[in-house]
CSV table of all heavy atoms in Angstrom, one decimal:
chain,number,residue,atom,x,y,z
A,25,ARG,N,0.8,-1.2,0.0
A,25,ARG,CA,0.0,0.0,0.0
A,25,ARG,C,0.9,1.3,0.0
A,25,ARG,O,0.5,2.3,-0.6
A,25,ARG,CB,-0.9,0.0,1.2
A,25,ARG,CG,-2.0,1.1,1.2
A,25,ARG,CD,-2.9,1.0,2.4
A,25,ARG,NE,-4.1,1.7,2.3
A,25,ARG,CZ,-4.2,3.0,2.5
A,25,ARG,NH1,-3.2,3.8,2.8
A,25,ARG,NH2,-5.4,3.6,2.4
A,26,GLY,N,2.0,1.2,0.7
A,26,GLY,CA,2.8,2.4,0.8
A,26,GLY,C,3.8,2.6,-0.4
A,26,GLY,O,4.5,3.5,-0.4
A,27,GLN,N,3.7,1.7,-1.4
A,27,GLN,CA,4.6,1.8,-2.5
A,27,GLN,C,3.9,2.6,-3.7
A,27,GLN,O,4.5,2.7,-4.7
A,27,GLN,CB,4.9,0.4,-3.0
A,27,GLN,CG,5.8,-0.4,-2.1
A,27,GLN,CD,6.3,-1.7,-2.7
A,27,GLN,OE1,5.8,-2.2,-3.7
A,27,GLN,NE2,7.4,-2.2,-2.2
A,28,PHE,N,2.7,3.1,-3.4
A,28,PHE,CA,2.0,3.8,-4.4
A,28,PHE,C,1.5,5.2,-3.9
A,28,PHE,O,1.4,5.4,-2.7
A,28,PHE,CB,0.9,3.0,-5.0
A,28,PHE,CG,1.2,1.6,-5.5
A,28,PHE,CD1,1.1,0.5,-4.6
A,28,PHE,CD2,1.7,1.5,-6.7
A,28,PHE,CE1,1.5,-0.7,-5.0
A,28,PHE,CE2,2.1,0.2,-7.2
A,28,PHE,CZ,2.0,-0.9,-6.3
A,29,ILE,N,1.3,6.1,-4.8
A,29,ILE,CA,0.6,7.4,-4.5
A,29,ILE,C,-0.8,7.2,-5.0
A,29,ILE,O,-1.1,6.9,-6.2
A,29,ILE,CB,1.3,8.5,-5.3
A,29,ILE,CG1,2.7,8.7,-4.8
A,29,ILE,CG2,0.5,9.8,-5.0
A,29,ILE,CD1,3.5,9.7,-5.6
A,30,TRP,N,-1.8,7.4,-4.1
A,30,TRP,CA,-3.2,7.1,-4.4
A,30,TRP,C,-4.0,8.4,-4.7
A,30,TRP,O,-3.8,9.4,-4.0
A,30,TRP,CB,-3.8,6.4,-3.2
A,30,TRP,CG,-3.1,5.1,-2.9
A,30,TRP,CD1,-2.1,4.9,-2.0
A,30,TRP,CD2,-3.4,3.8,-3.4
A,30,TRP,NE1,-1.7,3.6,-2.0
A,30,TRP,CE2,-2.5,2.9,-2.8
A,30,TRP,CE3,-4.3,3.4,-4.4
A,30,TRP,CZ2,-2.5,1.6,-3.2
A,30,TRP,CZ3,-4.3,2.0,-4.7
A,30,TRP,CH2,-3.4,1.1,-4.1
A,31,THR,N,-4.9,8.3,-5.6
A,31,THR,CA,-5.8,9.4,-5.9
A,31,THR,C,-7.3,8.9,-5.9
A,31,THR,O,-7.7,8.3,-7.0
A,31,THR,CB,-5.5,10.1,-7.3
A,31,THR,OG1,-4.2,10.6,-7.3
A,31,THR,CG2,-6.5,11.2,-7.6
A,32,PRO,N,-8.0,9.0,-4.8
A,32,PRO,CA,-9.4,8.5,-4.8
A,32,PRO,C,-10.3,9.4,-5.4
A,32,PRO,O,-10.2,10.7,-5.2
A,32,PRO,CB,-9.7,8.3,-3.3
A,32,PRO,CG,-8.5,8.7,-2.6
A,32,PRO,CD,-7.6,9.4,-3.5
A,33,VAL,N,-11.3,9.0,-6.2
A,33,VAL,CA,-12.3,9.8,-6.8
A,33,VAL,C,-13.6,9.1,-6.8
A,33,VAL,O,-13.7,7.8,-6.8
A,33,VAL,CB,-11.9,10.2,-8.3
A,33,VAL,CG1,-10.7,11.0,-8.4
A,33,VAL,CG2,-11.8,9.0,-9.2
A,34,CYS,N,-14.7,9.8,-6.9
A,34,CYS,CA,-16.1,9.3,-7.0
A,34,CYS,C,-16.9,10.1,-7.9
A,34,CYS,O,-17.3,11.2,-7.5
A,34,CYS,CB,-16.7,9.2,-5.6
A,34,CYS,SG,-18.4,8.6,-5.7
A,35,PRO,N,-17.2,9.6,-9.1
A,35,PRO,CA,-18.0,10.4,-10.0
A,35,PRO,C,-19.4,10.8,-9.5
A,35,PRO,O,-20.0,11.8,-9.8
A,35,PRO,CB,-18.1,9.6,-11.3
A,35,PRO,CG,-17.7,8.2,-10.8
A,35,PRO,CD,-16.8,8.4,-9.7
A,36,GLU,N,-20.0,9.9,-8.7
A,36,GLU,CA,-21.3,10.2,-8.2
A,36,GLU,C,-21.3,11.3,-7.1
A,36,GLU,O,-22.2,12.1,-7.0
A,36,GLU,CB,-22.0,8.9,-7.6
A,36,GLU,CG,-22.3,7.9,-8.7
A,36,GLU,CD,-23.0,6.6,-8.2
A,36,GLU,OE1,-23.7,6.7,-7.2
A,36,GLU,OE2,-22.8,5.6,-8.9
A,37,ILE,N,-20.3,11.3,-6.3
A,37,ILE,CA,-20.1,12.4,-5.3
A,37,ILE,C,-19.8,13.7,-6.1
A,37,ILE,O,-20.4,14.8,-5.8
A,37,ILE,CB,-19.0,12.1,-4.3
A,37,ILE,CG1,-19.5,11.1,-3.3
A,37,ILE,CG2,-18.6,13.4,-3.6
A,37,ILE,CD1,-20.6,11.5,-2.4
A,38,MET,N,-18.9,13.7,-7.1
A,38,MET,CA,-18.6,14.9,-7.8
A,38,MET,C,-19.8,15.4,-8.7
A,38,MET,O,-19.8,16.5,-9.1
A,38,MET,CB,-17.4,14.6,-8.7
A,38,MET,CG,-16.1,14.4,-7.9
A,38,MET,SD,-15.7,15.8,-6.9
A,38,MET,CE,-15.3,17.0,-8.1
A,39,SER,N,-20.8,14.5,-8.9
A,39,SER,CA,-22.0,15.0,-9.6
A,39,SER,C,-22.8,15.9,-8.7
A,39,SER,O,-23.7,16.6,-9.3
A,39,SER,CB,-22.8,13.7,-10.0
A,39,SER,OG,-23.5,13.2,-8.9
A,40,GLY,N,-22.6,15.8,-7.4
A,40,GLY,CA,-23.4,16.6,-6.5
A,40,GLY,C,-24.6,16.0,-5.9
A,40,GLY,O,-25.4,16.6,-5.3
A,41,MET,N,-24.7,14.6,-6.1
A,41,MET,CA,-25.9,13.9,-5.6
A,41,MET,C,-25.9,13.7,-4.1
A,41,MET,O,-26.9,13.5,-3.5
A,41,MET,CB,-26.1,12.6,-6.4
A,41,MET,CG,-26.6,12.8,-7.8
A,41,MET,SD,-27.1,11.2,-8.6
A,41,MET,CE,-25.5,10.4,-8.8
A,42,GLY,N,-24.7,13.7,-3.5
A,42,GLY,CA,-24.7,13.6,-2.0
A,42,GLY,C,-24.8,12.2,-1.5
A,42,GLY,O,-25.0,11.2,-2.2
A,43,VAL,N,-24.7,12.1,-0.1
A,43,VAL,CA,-24.8,10.8,0.6
A,43,VAL,C,-25.7,11.0,1.8
A,43,VAL,O,-25.5,12.0,2.5
A,43,VAL,CB,-23.4,10.4,1.1
A,43,VAL,CG1,-23.6,9.1,1.9
A,43,VAL,CG2,-22.4,10.1,0.0
A,44,PRO,N,-26.7,10.2,2.0
A,44,PRO,CA,-27.1,9.1,1.1
A,44,PRO,C,-27.9,9.6,0.0
A,44,PRO,O,-28.3,10.8,-0.1
A,44,PRO,CB,-28.0,8.2,2.0
A,44,PRO,CG,-28.6,9.2,3.0
A,44,PRO,CD,-27.5,10.2,3.3
A,45,ARG,N,-28.2,8.8,-1.1
A,45,ARG,CA,-28.9,9.2,-2.3
A,45,ARG,C,-29.6,8.0,-2.8
A,45,ARG,O,-29.2,6.8,-2.5
A,45,ARG,CB,-27.9,9.7,-3.3
A,45,ARG,CG,-26.8,8.8,-3.7
A,45,ARG,CD,-25.8,9.4,-4.7
A,45,ARG,NE,-24.7,8.5,-5.0
A,45,ARG,CZ,-23.6,8.3,-4.2
A,45,ARG,NH1,-23.4,9.1,-3.1
A,45,ARG,NH2,-22.6,7.5,-4.6
A,46,ALA,N,-30.5,8.2,-3.7
A,46,ALA,CA,-31.2,7.1,-4.3
A,46,ALA,C,-30.3,6.5,-5.3
A,46,ALA,O,-29.5,7.2,-6.0
A,46,ALA,CB,-32.5,7.7,-5.1
A,47,SER,N,-30.3,5.2,-5.4
A,47,SER,CA,-29.4,4.5,-6.3
A,47,SER,C,-29.8,4.8,-7.8
A,47,SER,O,-30.9,5.2,-8.1
A,47,SER,CB,-29.5,3.0,-6.1
A,47,SER,OG,-30.8,2.5,-6.3
A,48,ILE,N,-28.8,4.7,-8.7
A,48,ILE,CA,-29.0,5.1,-10.1
A,48,ILE,C,-28.8,3.9,-11.0
A,48,ILE,O,-28.3,2.8,-10.6
A,48,ILE,CB,-28.0,6.2,-10.5
A,48,ILE,CG1,-26.6,5.7,-10.4
A,48,ILE,CG2,-28.3,7.5,-9.8
A,48,ILE,CD1,-25.5,6.7,-10.9
A,49,LYS,N,-29.3,4.0,-12.2
A,49,LYS,CA,-29.3,2.9,-13.2
A,49,LYS,C,-29.2,3.4,-14.6
A,49,LYS,O,-29.8,4.4,-14.9
A,49,LYS,CB,-30.6,2.1,-13.0
A,49,LYS,CG,-30.7,0.9,-13.9
A,49,LYS,CD,-32.0,0.1,-13.7
A,49,LYS,CE,-32.1,-1.1,-14.6
A,49,LYS,NZ,-33.4,-1.9,-14.4
A,50,LEU,N,-28.4,2.8,-15.4
A,50,LEU,CA,-28.3,3.1,-16.8
A,50,LEU,C,-29.5,2.6,-17.5
A,50,LEU,O,-30.0,1.5,-17.3
A,50,LEU,CB,-27.0,2.4,-17.4
A,50,LEU,CG,-25.7,3.2,-17.5
A,50,LEU,CD1,-24.6,2.2,-17.9
A,50,LEU,CD2,-25.9,4.3,-18.6
A,51,SER,N,-30.0,3.5,-18.4
A,51,SER,CA,-31.3,3.1,-19.1
A,51,SER,C,-31.1,3.4,-20.6
A,51,SER,O,-30.6,4.5,-20.9
A,51,SER,CB,-32.4,3.9,-18.5
A,51,SER,OG,-33.6,3.7,-19.2
A,52,GLY,N,-31.5,2.5,-21.4
A,52,GLY,CA,-31.4,2.7,-22.9
A,52,GLY,C,-30.1,2.4,-23.5
A,52,GLY,O,-29.9,2.6,-24.7
A,53,GLY,N,-29.2,1.8,-22.8
A,53,GLY,CA,-27.9,1.4,-23.4
A,53,GLY,C,-26.8,1.4,-22.3
A,53,GLY,O,-27.0,1.4,-21.1
A,54,ASN,N,-25.5,1.4,-22.8
A,54,ASN,CA,-24.4,1.3,-21.9
A,54,ASN,C,-23.7,2.7,-21.8
A,54,ASN,O,-24.2,3.7,-22.3
A,54,ASN,CB,-23.4,0.2,-22.3
A,54,ASN,CG,-22.8,0.4,-23.7
A,54,ASN,OD1,-22.8,1.6,-24.2
A,54,ASN,ND2,-22.3,-0.6,-24.3
A,55,GLY,N,-22.5,2.7,-21.2
A,55,GLY,CA,-21.8,3.9,-21.0
A,55,GLY,C,-21.4,4.6,-22.3
A,55,GLY,O,-21.4,5.8,-22.4
A,56,PHE,N,-21.0,3.8,-23.2
A,56,PHE,CA,-20.6,4.3,-24.5
A,56,PHE,C,-21.8,5.0,-25.2
A,56,PHE,O,-21.7,6.1,-25.7
A,56,PHE,CB,-20.1,3.3,-25.5
A,56,PHE,CG,-18.8,2.7,-25.0
A,56,PHE,CD1,-18.6,1.3,-24.9
A,56,PHE,CD2,-17.7,3.5,-24.7
A,56,PHE,CE1,-17.4,0.7,-24.5
A,56,PHE,CE2,-16.5,2.9,-24.3
A,56,PHE,CZ,-16.3,1.5,-24.2
A,57,ASP,N,-23.0,4.4,-25.1
A,57,ASP,CA,-24.2,4.9,-25.6
A,57,ASP,C,-24.5,6.3,-24.9
A,57,ASP,O,-25.0,7.2,-25.5
A,57,ASP,CB,-25.4,4.0,-25.5
A,57,ASP,CG,-25.2,2.7,-26.3
A,57,ASP,OD1,-24.6,2.7,-27.4
A,57,ASP,OD2,-25.5,1.6,-25.7
A,58,PHE,N,-24.3,6.3,-23.6
A,58,PHE,CA,-24.6,7.5,-22.8
A,58,PHE,C,-23.8,8.7,-23.4
A,58,PHE,O,-24.4,9.8,-23.5
A,58,PHE,CB,-24.2,7.2,-21.4
A,58,PHE,CG,-24.3,8.4,-20.5
A,58,PHE,CD1,-25.5,8.7,-19.8
A,58,PHE,CD2,-23.3,9.4,-20.3
A,58,PHE,CE1,-25.6,9.8,-19.0
A,58,PHE,CE2,-23.4,10.5,-19.5
A,58,PHE,CZ,-24.6,10.7,-18.8
A,59,TRP,N,-22.5,8.5,-23.7
A,59,TRP,CA,-21.7,9.6,-24.2
A,59,TRP,C,-22.1,10.1,-25.6
A,59,TRP,O,-21.8,11.1,-26.0
A,59,TRP,CB,-20.3,9.3,-24.1
A,59,TRP,CG,-19.8,9.3,-22.6
A,59,TRP,CD1,-19.5,8.1,-21.9
A,59,TRP,CD2,-19.7,10.3,-21.7
A,59,TRP,NE1,-19.2,8.4,-20.6
A,59,TRP,CE2,-19.3,9.8,-20.5
A,59,TRP,CE3,-19.8,11.7,-21.8
A,59,TRP,CZ2,-19.1,10.6,-19.4
A,59,TRP,CZ3,-19.6,12.5,-20.7
A,59,TRP,CH2,-19.2,12.0,-19.5
A,60,GLU,N,-22.8,9.2,-26.3
A,60,GLU,CA,-23.4,9.5,-27.6
A,60,GLU,C,-24.8,10.0,-27.6
A,60,GLU,O,-25.4,10.3,-28.6
A,60,GLU,CB,-23.3,8.3,-28.5
A,60,GLU,CG,-21.9,7.8,-28.8
A,60,GLU,CD,-21.8,6.6,-29.7
A,60,GLU,OE1,-22.9,6.1,-30.1
A,60,GLU,OE2,-20.7,6.1,-30.0
A,61,GLY,N,-25.3,10.2,-26.4
A,61,GLY,CA,-26.7,10.7,-26.2
A,61,GLY,C,-27.8,9.7,-26.4
A,61,GLY,O,-28.9,10.1,-26.6
A,62,LYS,N,-27.4,8.4,-26.5
A,62,LYS,CA,-28.4,7.3,-26.8
A,62,LYS,C,-28.9,6.7,-25.5
A,62,LYS,O,-29.9,5.9,-25.6
A,62,LYS,CB,-27.8,6.3,-27.7
A,62,LYS,CG,-27.3,6.8,-29.0
A,62,LYS,CD,-26.6,5.8,-29.8
A,62,LYS,CE,-26.0,6.3,-31.1
A,62,LYS,NZ,-25.2,5.2,-31.9
A,63,ALA,N,-28.3,6.9,-24.4
A,63,ALA,CA,-28.7,6.3,-23.1
A,63,ALA,C,-28.7,7.4,-22.0
A,63,ALA,O,-28.2,8.4,-22.2
A,63,ALA,CB,-27.8,5.1,-22.7
A,64,THR,N,-29.4,7.1,-20.9
A,64,THR,CA,-29.4,8.0,-19.9
A,64,THR,C,-29.3,7.4,-18.5
A,64,THR,O,-29.1,6.1,-18.4
A,64,THR,CB,-30.8,8.8,-19.9
A,64,THR,OG1,-30.8,9.9,-19.0
A,64,THR,CG2,-31.9,7.9,-19.5
A,65,ILE,N,-29.2,8.2,-17.5
A,65,ILE,CA,-29.1,7.7,-16.1
A,65,ILE,C,-30.3,8.2,-15.3
A,65,ILE,O,-30.6,9.4,-15.3
A,65,ILE,CB,-27.8,8.2,-15.4
A,65,ILE,CG1,-26.6,7.5,-15.9
A,65,ILE,CG2,-27.9,8.1,-13.9
A,65,ILE,CD1,-26.3,6.2,-15.2
A,66,LYS,N,-31.0,7.3,-14.6
A,66,LYS,CA,-32.1,7.7,-13.8
A,66,LYS,C,-31.9,7.1,-12.4
A,66,LYS,O,-31.3,6.0,-12.3
A,66,LYS,CB,-33.4,7.2,-14.4
A,66,LYS,CG,-33.8,7.9,-15.7
A,66,LYS,CD,-35.2,7.4,-16.2
A,66,LYS,CE,-35.6,8.1,-17.5
A,66,LYS,NZ,-36.9,7.6,-17.9
A,67,ASN,N,-32.4,7.7,-11.4
A,67,ASN,CA,-32.4,7.1,-10.1
A,67,ASN,C,-33.6,6.3,-9.8
A,67,ASN,O,-34.5,6.2,-10.7
A,67,ASN,CB,-32.2,8.1,-8.9
A,67,ASN,CG,-33.4,9.1,-8.8
A,67,ASN,OD1,-34.5,8.8,-9.3
A,67,ASN,ND2,-33.2,10.2,-8.1
A,68,LYS,N,-33.7,5.6,-8.7
A,68,LYS,CA,-34.8,4.6,-8.5
A,68,LYS,C,-36.2,5.3,-8.4
A,68,LYS,O,-37.2,4.7,-8.4
A,68,LYS,CB,-34.5,3.7,-7.3
A,68,LYS,CG,-34.6,4.5,-5.9
A,68,LYS,CD,-34.4,3.5,-4.8
A,68,LYS,CE,-34.6,4.2,-3.4
A,68,LYS,NZ,-34.5,3.2,-2.3
A,69,ASP,N,-36.1,6.6,-8.2
A,69,ASP,CA,-37.4,7.4,-8.1
A,69,ASP,C,-37.8,7.9,-9.5
A,69,ASP,O,-38.8,8.6,-9.6
A,69,ASP,CB,-37.2,8.6,-7.2
A,69,ASP,CG,-36.9,8.2,-5.7
A,69,ASP,OD1,-37.4,7.2,-5.3
A,69,ASP,OD2,-36.1,8.9,-5.1
A,70,GLY,N,-37.0,7.5,-10.5
A,70,GLY,CA,-37.4,7.9,-11.9
A,70,GLY,C,-36.9,9.3,-12.3
A,70,GLY,O,-37.2,9.7,-13.4
A,71,GLU,N,-36.1,9.9,-11.5
A,71,GLU,CA,-35.5,11.2,-11.8
A,71,GLU,C,-34.3,11.1,-12.7
A,71,GLU,O,-33.4,10.3,-12.5
A,71,GLU,CB,-35.1,12.0,-10.5
A,71,GLU,CG,-36.3,12.2,-9.6
A,71,GLU,CD,-35.8,12.8,-8.2
A,71,GLU,OE1,-34.7,12.5,-7.8
A,71,GLU,OE2,-36.6,13.6,-7.6
A,72,ASN,N,-34.3,11.9,-13.7
A,72,ASN,CA,-33.1,11.9,-14.7
A,72,ASN,C,-31.9,12.6,-14.1
A,72,ASN,O,-32.0,13.8,-13.7
A,72,ASN,CB,-33.6,12.6,-16.0
A,72,ASN,CG,-32.5,12.4,-17.1
A,72,ASN,OD1,-31.3,12.6,-16.9
A,72,ASN,ND2,-33.0,11.9,-18.2
């Protein structure tokens, strides 16, 4: 563990959704599709 320099990141925290939060799910495709505008992310409450 001490042989490396670590950089922890969390895209969901950096999104501003906070803790705790409703879980999210990819809808309409995968991550590649998401970046092409073909898929989206919604939380379990149905919010985009």
